[in-house]
Amino acid sequence: SGRRMRNISSGINAEYGEIYHAGAVNRVRVCPHVTDSRTFVASWSEKGKVHIWDIAPQLTALETSQESKDVQKIKPFYTFGGHVEEGYAMDWSKTRQGYLLTGDCTRHIHLWTPRESDWLVSQQTFSAHSSSVEDIQWSPNEEHVFSSCSTDRSIKVWDDRAAHHKACMITVPNAHAADVNVINWNKMEPFLVSGGDDGVVKIWDLRKLDTHAALFKHHTGAITSVEWHPSDSSVFGASGEDNQVSLWDLGVEAAEPLIIEDTEVPPQLLFIHQGQEEIKELHWHPHVSGLLVTTSLDSFNIFKTISV
């Protein structure tokens, strides 16, 4: 991946490397456990394969202003082709180094167990969903527990120590009125946030999953991404197909909605960011409080509000 410079709309020059990827990238995730010699990234390909890449050479080339290997010559560190179809769901464990979950559009979830030089991918799958698995999230503190959401409108909580056919411990049926697209696990409190095709964002208390703890209907399109603030357990962000990013604070006391231009605005709504088309993901910076990056069809946006 050669060193590149690109002029961003704000006039900032960004340096980046490239890796050739066979097929469109459905989703990409960086392993949170970085060793001295390897930095692993997992990618879901539209061709139905999951690739693991070691991007350490590209990072070194960027940091030292050197040219790295030709783009076409970089091969995946490991590839798994056992999924029946392509998928989008993917998450690295935060508590167990190198453990990965991938879910596909045929409802199957595979567990990846790291070995010395590759991964053992379970042949038996977690298959309690009745249709496509859209998102997966490991628990941030229970190392064997994870959650998933699906186009079957449910959210499920699993324990990977159980037999595959018994591993689904909790099911929230009809969690949304349509496909459940995304979920995110709060790192400090026992809360999940979910977003669906119905344009609704819901908060779930894992101690009492018979009903949602809060519901926010602001977006007029399907929710495409949700994520809790890394250090403020009451704040989260959401993005939607209505080309908006919304920031919320559960700590704001319930009150009468504000009326702005004949529209009710929930008091918990802190901020709305616009200007991008087809927003796909939002992520908080892990160390700079309140800084976000959003990816979309036409751009990356990096912004920080005074609200958070």
Side-chain angles (χ1 to χ4, degrees):
S1 119
R3 183 180 177 83
R4 299 286 187 271
M5 300 290 289
R6 185 176 182 180
N7 194 3
I8 298 180
S9 58
S10 62
I12 299 172
N13 284 326
E15 303 174 8
Y16 63 90
E18 294 176 324
I19 293 176
Y20 173 78
H21 190 274
V25 180
N26 289 353
R27 191 160 282 174
V28 60
R29 292 287 182 264
V30 180
C31 180
H33 300 101
V34 178
T35 67
D36 291 338
S37 58
R38 299 196 186 279
T39 300
F40 287 125
V41 170
S43 66
W44 243 123
S45 169
E46 66 170 355
K47 294 183 178 294
K49 295 183 178 181
V50 179
H51 302 293
I52 306 292
W53 309 83
D54 178 12
I55 64 166
Q58 285 70 44
L59 294 176
T60 299
L62 287 172
E63 291 168 359
T64 58
S65 301
Q66 294 176 352
E67 294 290 330
S68 60
K69 295 179 182 177
D70 181 77
V71 172
Q72 301 290 336
K73 294 180 180 178
I74 299 168
K75 300 295 184 184
F77 184 86
Y78 184 78
T79 295
F80 176 65
H83 279 282
V84 179
E85 280 187 24
E86 66 176 321
Y88 295 83
M90 170 186 287
D91 196 36
W92 291 96
S93 172
K94 316 289 188 299
T95 58
R96 289 190 290 175
Q97 182 171 337
Y99 279 77
L100 178 69
L101 287 164
T102 53
D104 63 34
C105 295
T106 62
R107 77 185 175 93
H108 296 292
I109 298 171
H110 285 273
L111 172 65
W112 298 49
T113 301
R115 298 189 290 199
E116 188 170 337
S117 59
D118 62 3
W119 280 262
L120 175 65
V121 185
S122 62
Q123 294 304 304
Q124 289 185 305
T125 61
F126 303 102
S127 313
H129 283 294
S130 60
S131 57
S132 176
V133 180
E134 297 294 280
D135 202 5
I136 295 174
Q137 284 276 293
W138 283 102
S139 164
N141 39 48
E142 298 284 346
E143 63 179 27
H144 293 282
V145 176
F146 66 93
S147 57
S148 61
C149 64
S150 168
T151 57
D152 65 12
R153 305 185 180 186
S154 75
I155 296 172
K156 295 182 182 292
V157 180
W158 313 70
D159 189 325
D160 71 15
R161 290 168 293 191
H164 285 70
H165 65 287
K166 297 180 179 179
C168 180
M169 300 297 170
I170 303 171
T171 296
V172 183
N174 299 311
H176 284 257
D179 300 0
V180 188
N181 297 331
V182 284
I183 50 175
N184 191 246
W185 205 305
N186 194 304
K187 296 174 179 60
M188 290 160 281
E189 302 291 342
F191 294 145
L192 277 175
V193 57
S194 64
D197 266 0
D198 52 6
V200 172
V201 176
K202 293 186 178 183
I203 309 299
W204 304 89
D205 187 333
L206 289 156
R207 297 164 296 190
K208 188 181 179 184
L209 280 171
D210 53 340
T211 186
H212 55 264
L215 179 154
F216 300 105
K217 182 72 175 86
H218 163 75
H219 288 273
T220 57
I223 304 300
T224 60
S225 185
V226 288
E227 188 170 281
W228 292 99
H229 189 288
S231 59
D232 189 335
S233 62
S234 67
V235 173
F236 69 90
S239 64
E241 288 184 359
D242 56 357
N243 300 330
Q244 292 190 45
V245 176
S246 59
L247 304 184
W248 303 80
D249 187 355
L250 300 178
V252 176
E253 292 186 11
E256 290 297 315
L258 302 172
I259 307 297
I260 301 175
E261 296 181 357
D262 296 324
T263 302
E264 288 190 0
V265 178
Q268 294 84 7
L269 180 58
L270 297 178
F271 188 81
I272 298 170
H273 175 75
Q274 294 177 287
Q276 291 176 284
E277 292 185 14
E278 295 189 29
I279 302 166
K280 296 302 181 186
E281 293 197 18
L282 71 86
H283 294 289
W284 299 89
H285 194 289
H287 307 300
V288 181
S289 182
L291 184 66
L292 293 107
V293 60
T294 54
T295 66
S296 71
L297 178 67
D298 59 353
S299 64
F300 286 78
N301 275 190
I302 300 173
F303 63 95
K304 188 178 189 298
T305 79
I306 61 171
S307 306
V308 180

